[in-house]
Amino acid sequence: MVMPCTSAFATVIDFSLRLSWLGDVMKSPTNPRFILIFMTVAMVVMASLAQADSKAAWKQIEKFAESLDSYEGQRSADPIDQFALRTSAGASLAEQKAGFMALLDGQLEAFLEYYPADKRVAEAQAMRLQIAPNMAEGLGLDFDDETWIAEVNALRSDPQLPADAKVRVQVMWINYQLKRAGSVGMTQRGLAALIDTMESFVFDYRKDTRSIAFALIVTELIGKSEPQRAEAVLKRALKNVKGKDPQLQNSVEQALALLPFRSHPIDLEFEAADGTPVDLAQMRGQVIVVDFWASWCPPCRHESPDLVELYQKYRADGLQIIGISLDESRAKMEAFAEKVGMDWPHYFDGRGWRNRISTRFAISSIPAVWVIDRDGYLVNAKARGKLEQWVPRLLARPMTVAQR
């Protein structure tokens, strides 16, 4: 390989000074460690440029990217990692990760410059785009949203894009759009395009476990308005994951079990442990929280006082809570409920994990928390930790005219 500079070190310095983000880091008052970051980048890029061929250089990049994916602030034996960690002393985990992303970005930019004809160029471009938003946020840099989207879309439409790179680009586009929708909202047209892309991913990339997460999101978005379409997506996702990942498989099975109650009011009727008759059909007009719990479950015990506080806060406004106990001992269930003040109806059949109601709805872990709106529709089957967001919002909504 012919170097544009006369020495390896000069090559590193020449290239590092031209890194696309370095000038912004040096100007940023929120990054006092920019010189040390620069030095670390120079060391890594020099190691990359010293490789004999593009294949070896790419292997180094892949190894670095792999360690970044699993990095949680730990130290490794790698001397470059050791140096980088020393330069980031006092930085938050997000800042440290952003620094490592900058190192990876430097290697990728070097790879693109010195191996422009390599078959992995598109993959390198995709990797750079993937880390760009989080790197910019962590380093306090301005991020050009529109330029980034344009570059991603250009890669998405590239017919020469290798299969692995295409998957990477599709996933980054979906994740970015989901994040954007959550923070600034999205037009109906944009949301429809996002749903179409996630649906296509489920059918096109059957071996990729990320298809399961996208299938579940699609169900959340269209389960009420297009239940048949949502069912087809979930059935494909179940076929993709069946026998491969029990946890993901259960998530899809549960979503399928609950899907009918996104487009029709949920039907649930039983006699509570204290003899109180419970029928959700007779409770229309109230916002209902369904809590699957047990007195032997540590997180259930820990979170129960918060549930009691929520009930006391919103009970007068129309909130009702129903407990589904997976206890095997009625005495222990009743003792704990009385002690904490869980003053609402509880279903109990003494079957533990074979509980009739939890089995019907494919509940495989507790606590599990649902929220049902005033019209009886299941609006969130994963509301644990989110009740203060959902309950006031649903209480503020009246019943629909059709249900009054």
Side-chain angles (χ1 to χ4, degrees):
M1 181 179 66
V2 178
M3 295 288 188
C5 302
T6 57
S7 71
F9 183 73
T11 299
V12 172
I13 298 302
D14 171 70
F15 179 79
S16 297
L17 286 171
R18 292 183 285 110
L19 286 175
S20 58
W21 48 266
L22 187 59
D24 291 333
V25 175
M26 294 176 73
K27 295 174 187 175
S28 173
T30 61
N31 290 278
R33 294 176 298 280
F34 71 89
I35 294 177
L36 294 176
I37 293 175
F38 159 74
M39 291 170 61
T40 309
V41 171
M43 291 178 65
V44 175
V45 173
M46 181 166 61
S48 178
L49 292 175
Q51 298 294 337
D53 54 48
S54 61
K55 183 178 180 180
W58 186 254
K59 279 188 176 180
Q60 177 176 312
I61 287 172
E62 286 186 317
K63 181 181 178 183
F64 193 90
E66 220 174 273
S67 65
L68 175 62
D69 286 341
S70 59
Y71 178 71
E72 293 296 337
Q74 71 275 18
R75 294 182 178 272
S76 75
D78 189 290
I80 296 298
D81 289 353
Q82 291 282 351
F83 183 85
L85 284 166
R86 285 197 295 273
T87 66
S88 61
S92 67
L93 180 59
E95 289 173 326
Q96 290 182 39
K97 282 191 171 183
F100 274 94
M101 287 177 191
L103 302 184
L104 177 58
D105 186 74
Q107 294 180 79
L108 290 166
E109 194 166 349
F111 185 89
L112 290 169
E113 177 158 336
Y114 293 113
Y115 307 109
D118 190 87
K119 64 181 181 181
R120 292 166 284 254
V121 162
E123 180 75 359
Q125 292 171 333
M127 288 178 72
R128 290 197 72 197
L129 287 169
Q130 182 179 11
I131 64 177
N134 289 334
M135 184 183 78
E137 183 178 354
L139 294 176
L141 308 179
D142 292 332
F143 180 66
D144 190 339
D145 182 271
E146 296 305 320
T147 299
W148 185 88
I149 291 175
E151 291 181 8
V152 171
N153 284 333
L155 268 182
R156 289 177 71 209
S157 59
D158 183 355
Q160 303 301 319
L161 192 66
D164 289 349
K166 189 173 184 180
V167 173
R168 184 188 295 274
V169 171
Q170 287 289 73
V171 170
M172 83 169 78
W173 187 86
I174 291 171
N175 286 336
Y176 185 76
Q177 293 295 341
L178 286 170
K179 183 178 179 181
R180 195 181 187 196
S183 59
V184 300
M186 184 174 283
T187 64
Q188 285 298 318
R189 183 177 178 182
L191 184 59
L194 176 58
I195 291 170
D196 288 345
T197 303
M198 289 191 288
E199 181 179 20
S200 296
F201 193 96
V202 174
F203 284 88
D204 294 343
Y205 303 107
R206 300 173 185 179
K207 294 182 180 180
D208 195 307
T209 55
R210 287 169 294 195
S211 67
I212 308 305
F214 295 151
L216 296 175
I217 294 171
V218 167
T219 302
E220 292 288 335
L221 294 172
I222 66 170
K224 186 173 183 178
S225 59
E226 300 180 73
Q228 291 181 335
R229 182 183 176 189
E231 183 180 14
V233 172
L234 285 173
K235 285 183 175 179
R236 167 53 66 185
L238 183 60
K239 189 174 181 180
N240 293 354
V241 77
K242 198 164 189 177
K244 299 173 185 176
D245 187 316
Q247 188 172 357
L248 288 177
Q249 181 177 328
N250 179 262
S251 294
V252 179
E253 289 172 343
Q254 185 179 5
L256 276 167
L258 297 178
L259 183 60
F261 307 116
R262 295 189 181 279
S263 55
H264 297 88
I266 192 166
D267 64 299
L268 183 61
E269 185 177 359
F270 61 86
E271 182 178 300
D274 63 359
T276 302
V278 175
D279 183 358
L280 293 195
Q282 301 300 316
M283 299 171 69
R284 303 282 164 77
Q286 295 178 300
V287 172
I288 300 170
V289 169
V290 182
D291 178 37
F292 294 85
W293 72 288
S295 65
W296 47 258
C297 162
C300 300
R301 297 172 66 92
H302 178 72
E303 295 170 20
S304 292
D306 295 333
L307 205 55
V308 171
E309 184 178 343
L310 183 89
Y311 185 53
Q312 293 172 344
K313 184 177 180 180
Y314 294 109
R315 182 178 185 177
D317 298 322
L319 172 67
Q320 181 56 268
I321 298 179
I322 295 171
I324 309 296
S325 171
L326 274 69
D327 278 287
E328 294 182 359
S329 166
R330 178 190 291 264
K332 289 181 179 179
M333 183 271 290
E334 291 178 338
F336 182 80
E338 183 178 357
K339 177 182 177 181
V340 179
M342 299 166 71
D343 188 22
W344 49 78
H346 295 272
Y347 174 80
F348 173 83
D349 62 15
R351 299 180 182 181
W353 282 110
R354 296 188 300 278
N355 179 292
R356 180 176 64 85
I357 293 177
S358 66
T359 301
R360 174 190 173 192
F361 296 116
I363 300 296
S364 63
S365 64
I366 56 174
V369 182
W370 296 355
V371 181
I372 298 170
D373 69 12
R374 292 185 186 274
D375 294 318
Y377 292 96
L378 176 65
V379 293
N380 194 321
K382 296 184 182 297
R384 180 187 175 196
K386 304 172 186 174
L387 291 175
E388 276 291 357
Q389 301 171 30
W390 279 96
V391 169
R393 188 189 314 172
L394 293 174
L395 286 171
R397 296 180 192 171
M399 290 182 68
T400 62
V401 174
Q403 293 290 340
R404 284 177 179 167

